[in-house]
Amino acid sequence: RKEVEQDPGPFNVPEGATVAFNCTYSNSASQSFFWYRQDCRKEPKLLMSVYSSGNEDGRFTAQLNRASQYISLLIRDSKLSDSATYLCVVIYQGGSEKLVFGKGTKLTVNP
Amino acid sequence: DGGITQSPKYLFRKEGQNVTLSCEQNLNHDAMYWYRQDPGQGLRLIYYSQIVNDFQKGDIAEGYSVSREKKESFPLTVTSAQKNPTAFYLCASSIGDRAYEQYFGPGTRLTVT
């Protein structure tokens, strides 16, 4: 089983739709969780952290379920500019704080 | 403007040649990283350095080498021993105790034929 797994998509949704991505992780020692965004042929950028209590940033909501070992990202009222690949990232406790990236979920928002 | 620069953006080499990819940052970050991204794959860590003159192997270090002689610079050499060198190479940096917030350079697309 891969360390971090995501549905690769692609997800094609109309503008204004609500879309959700899930990500599962295999190592229960995982400590920290994040979502990065990567535009086509560009570098990844940190989108948001994921806290145990869940957190919201505008139209984006991130949730963590430690018992089931998955995190989610919900995008409400999607915009054309949300089209990108969303990368799930996990950090394991262990001193090196190495980031483990999922393969990403591709989202295309259509007019 | 602070940031990370990688050059060149596109690089073409013949098989059997070593090639060095440049990565420079002026963010005063302690830690620097090299990743490789292949189509349909997640980013994979090649090498990382948390301090000058020290670096550690990541998950796929074979066929690569690095140096960290200056805080600002972390060049990556792709040697002829790397069996599948064609890929998108991304350099990143972070403040020492905030490894989760990595700032990435624009990447170098290396094609080896």
Side-chain angles (χ1 to χ4, degrees):
Chain A
R1 185 180 172 188
K2 291 186 172 52
E3 290 186 87
V4 179
E5 292 200 66
Q6 296 182 248
D7 181 344
F11 284 61
N12 290 290
V13 302
E15 262 187 297
T18 296
V19 61
F21 310 133
N22 285 333
C23 166
T24 58
Y25 59 94
S26 60
N27 191 330
S28 58
S30 303
Q31 291 294 314
S32 306
F33 309 88
F34 307 89
W35 285 101
Y36 272 68
R37 170 193 169 129
Q38 185 174 22
D39 292 318
C40 187
R41 302 180 76 81
K42 299 281 190 178
E43 72 273 22
K45 294 182 180 177
L46 178 63
L47 178 65
M48 62 195 300
S49 304
V50 186
Y51 303 122
S52 297
S53 54
N55 50 299
E56 199 171 299
D57 182 3
R59 298 180 292 107
F60 296 81
T61 300
Q63 297 273 358
L64 166 64
N65 185 320
R66 284 192 184 271
S68 301
Q69 294 184 199
Y70 79 82
I71 68 173
S72 63
L73 178 68
L74 181 79
I75 305 176
R76 291 183 299 279
D77 187 24
S78 51
K79 312 290 184 192
L80 296 177
S81 57
D82 293 335
S83 296
T85 295
Y86 291 85
L87 307 175
C88 172
V89 181
V90 172
I91 292 183
Y92 298 130
Q93 189 76 21
S96 68
E97 291 206 29
K98 186 182 77 169
L99 271 64
V100 180
F101 287 80
K103 294 181 180 181
T105 297
K106 185 174 181 180
L107 170 67
T108 300
V109 180
N110 301 303
Chain B
D1 280 340
I4 301 180
T5 55
Q6 290 184 245
S7 60
K9 191 170 183 179
Y10 298 96
L11 189 55
F12 299 88
R13 280 292 183 270
K14 294 288 187 186
E15 198 173 318
Q17 294 179 331
N18 289 357
V19 58
T20 297
L21 310 185
S22 163
C23 177
E24 305 278 331
Q25 55 98 1
N26 60 4
L27 299 167
N28 199 33
H29 285 173
D30 295 305
M32 295 187 75
Y33 312 81
W34 273 106
Y35 294 91
R36 168 184 174 138
Q37 188 174 36
D38 295 283
Q41 299 290 322
L43 274 71
R44 292 183 290 169
L45 183 64
I46 304 172
Y47 267 99
Y48 64 101
S49 168
Q50 294 179 309
I51 197 169
V52 173
N53 291 323
D54 187 44
F55 48 83
Q56 285 79 40
K57 292 182 179 180
D59 299 317
I60 55 165
E62 186 175 346
Y64 299 99
S65 65
V66 294
S67 63
R68 186 86 187 276
E69 296 176 3
K70 298 185 301 182
K71 189 175 186 178
E72 302 80 20
S73 179
F74 192 40
L76 173 74
T77 296
V78 184
T79 75
S80 56
Q82 169 48 235
K83 293 177 183 174
N84 296 296
T86 295
F88 185 40
Y89 289 88
L90 287 157
C91 179
S93 70
S94 68
I95 296 172
D97 58 352
R98 294 176 64 175
Y100 63 87
E101 189 172 3
Q102 295 189 7
Y103 293 83
F104 285 82
T108 292
R109 291 193 180 274
L110 173 64
T111 302
V112 177
T113 57

